[in-house]
Amino acid sequence: MNHPIVIVGAGIVGASIAWNLARRGKSVLILDQTGIGKGATARSFGWINANFAETPAYFALRSAAIDAHHEMEAALGPVATRWCGCLWWEDVGAAFDAHAAELAAFGYAAQVVAKPEIARMASALARPPERAIHVAREGGADGEVIAARLTEAAVALGAKVWIGPKVTSLLRQDVRVIGVATDHGPVPASRVIIAAGAGAAALTSLPMANKPGLILRTRPLSPFLGPIIMAPDVHFRQDVEGRIVAGEIFSGDGPGQASITTDPGALADELVRRIQAHLPDQKIEIELVTLGQRPVPKDGLPAVGLLEDGLYLASMHSGITLAPLIGTLVAQEIAEGRHSSELAPFRPTRFSQRLENILGG
Ligand SMILES: Cc1cc2nc3c(=O)[nH]c(=O)nc-3n(C[C@H](O)[C@H](O)[C@H](O)COP(=O)(O)OP(=O)(O)OC[C@H]3O[C@@H](n4cnc5c(N)ncnc54)[C@H](O)[C@@H]3O)c2cc1C
């Protein structure tokens, strides 16, 4: 009997892989304990960007991923993404210059713009900075909407979705993974793909350093804000329905970090004060606060590839940016046997290889 490919996780990453496999004629079953796009995907800031990348290969991956969003939208139709560009000035002085120089060295389509130009692009800002980095090709997305659309498209092509079962372990025969055990019983698979976000560490050997993050959404306002704003004290954008979506600082390492876990209500109120100071003419009222876990492989880079016989892993931060491309590349590898050179630097086996190198002296 032919068992389906089982994907653990119906976040934006699992949904993208499922759709891309279903498009290639593969039989797919998605399992998720909570719902479609209800994990980090629903609690994300949703900035689609290649603004931060530790290595040239990672920059290339992120930059190609922006293009992959447009290809996905061409196939699925609009998915509530606003291609509004971004103004960034989280750092000032030498750190700002270093970031601008790094983006220029990567060949990113980023321009340093001065105060009058910033005031023109984002006239609602009370305190436009002296300079900012503007990237016109970046956008803001609602990950949950994208995950739902991808899943819907996968189901239309024959994929199946089970919501509720928690995957508790992997089933093996000899050295091959042949399915998963769940709290509702075993599920056989031709292959298992772990796209479980921050939950990947519980099911695999992937070392992770997941980070909490708080995002707030305001009541909808009339459209007034053009680009995504990445200021030193807060980042925010306006979504397609007029809500301001905001978070503290992107890295999750800011001075307010402790209060995400100890006093999220106070942090949310503080964020409202900061946004209000940038946008004094708007009435900023909280509609929803979400607390999420950023899935972060230990070295900060994506972990995508074969982990052992029958077991494939796709775990990463910046999954909102990366998912459309990752889904395509993973499906090409699994369904067509086409090895991805773009993914070569991001194989999860790098962690065990490092350990083996250390142990081997
Ligand atoms: C505060 C915050 C801000 C962020 N900002 C950005 C940003 O601006 N730009 C960007 O690109 N990225 C951003 N990210 C990261 C991005 O949201 C994630 O990388 C992305 O959503 C990961 O998607 P995923 O599908 O891998 O994981 P998830 O969306 O977490 O989905 C994993 C799914 O697996 C399921 N699952 C887990 N374990 C099991 C199990 N044992 N059994 C069954 N089901 C299981 C969960 O229920 C969940 O639905 C942010 C994240 C956070 C939290």
Side-chain angles (χ1 to χ4, degrees):
M1 181 180 173
N2 285 340
H3 296 304
I5 298 173
V6 168
I7 300 176
V8 181
I12 192 169
V13 173
S16 178
I17 294 171
W19 177 57
N20 280 288
L21 283 171
R23 293 170 94 189
R24 287 165 175 80
K26 290 292 170 187
S27 159
V28 173
L29 169 62
I30 313 175
L31 301 180
D32 198 298
Q33 61 186 340
T34 45
I36 297 165
K38 299 292 183 200
T41 294
R43 298 150 196 229
S44 181
F45 181 57
W47 179 28
I48 300 169
N49 75 93
N51 219 303
F52 287 90
E54 289 86 342
T55 64
Y58 190 35
F59 170 78
L61 192 78
R62 295 184 71 120
S63 186
I66 299 178
D67 298 331
H69 269 268
H70 293 289
E71 286 157 23
M72 180 189 69
E73 281 188 54
L76 295 182
V79 283
T81 297
R82 269 193 74 210
W83 294 104
C84 51
C86 176
L87 283 168
W88 178 96
W89 72 100
E90 279 182 301
D91 291 329
V92 293
F96 179 101
D97 292 334
H99 188 50
E102 184 184 48
L103 293 180
F106 282 148
Y108 200 35
Q111 277 90 38
V112 175
V113 288
K115 194 172 190 169
E117 181 74 350
I118 298 165
R120 193 189 59 73
M121 288 179 180
S123 55
L125 288 178
R127 299 174 275 127
E130 290 305 318
R131 51 190 192 145
I133 294 173
H134 179 242
V135 183
R137 67 188 287 244
E138 295 179 346
D142 185 326
E144 194 176 348
V145 170
I146 297 178
R149 291 293 296 279
L150 286 165
T151 307
E152 194 182 283
V155 168
L157 293 169
K160 295 191 169 54
V161 187
W162 292 1
I163 300 301
K166 175 179 176 160
V167 173
T168 50
S169 63
L170 303 168
L171 300 174
R172 290 184 175 80
Q173 189 170 56
D174 302 323
V175 290
R176 184 172 171 85
V177 173
I178 55 156
V180 294
T182 79
D183 56 1
H184 288 62
V187 180
S190 61
R191 180 190 291 266
V192 174
I193 300 175
I194 303 292
L203 296 170
T204 70
S205 55
L206 180 71
M208 297 188 82
N210 300 327
K211 287 183 186 170
L214 179 149
I215 298 294
L216 70 79
R217 284 175 168 73
T218 69
R219 292 189 201 287
L221 299 161
S222 299
F224 71 93
L225 185 63
I228 297 166
I229 302 297
M230 303 295 296
D233 58 339
V234 62
H235 54 262
F236 54 92
R237 63 181 179 86
Q238 193 166 28
D239 73 10
V240 287
E241 289 171 345
R243 292 181 178 82
I244 298 294
V245 181
E248 200 207 1
I249 65 159
F250 188 69
S251 67
D253 291 328
Q257 178 73 1
S259 54
I260 292 173
T261 43
T262 58
D263 196 353
L267 179 61
D269 290 342
E270 172 60 24
L271 282 188
V272 167
R273 279 191 288 277
R274 293 183 200 174
I275 301 165
Q276 196 68 79
H278 284 284
L279 305 172
D281 297 337
Q282 301 295 327
K283 194 168 181 202
I284 302 299
E285 296 174 298
I286 296 178
E287 185 178 80
L288 179 71
V289 174
T290 56
L291 303 174
Q293 279 294 332
R294 296 178 163 92
V296 190
K298 198 137 198 178
D299 60 4
L301 298 172
V304 185
L306 200 65
L307 207 50
E308 49 182 291
D309 194 14
L311 181 66
Y312 201 97
L313 175 71
S315 176
M316 70 212 70
H317 189 263
S318 294
I320 305 298
T321 300
L322 296 170
L325 178 65
I326 295 295
T328 305
L329 298 177
V330 169
Q332 285 172 349
E333 289 206 321
I334 290 176
E336 298 165 11
R338 202 185 324 166
H339 180 82
S340 163
S341 56
E342 295 96 319
L343 291 177
F346 306 108
R347 299 305 186 189
T349 42
R350 67 185 182 269
F351 294 106
S352 48
Q353 272 160 10
R354 256 178 233 160
L355 193 62
E356 277 160 22
N357 289 346
I358 293 166
L359 293 175

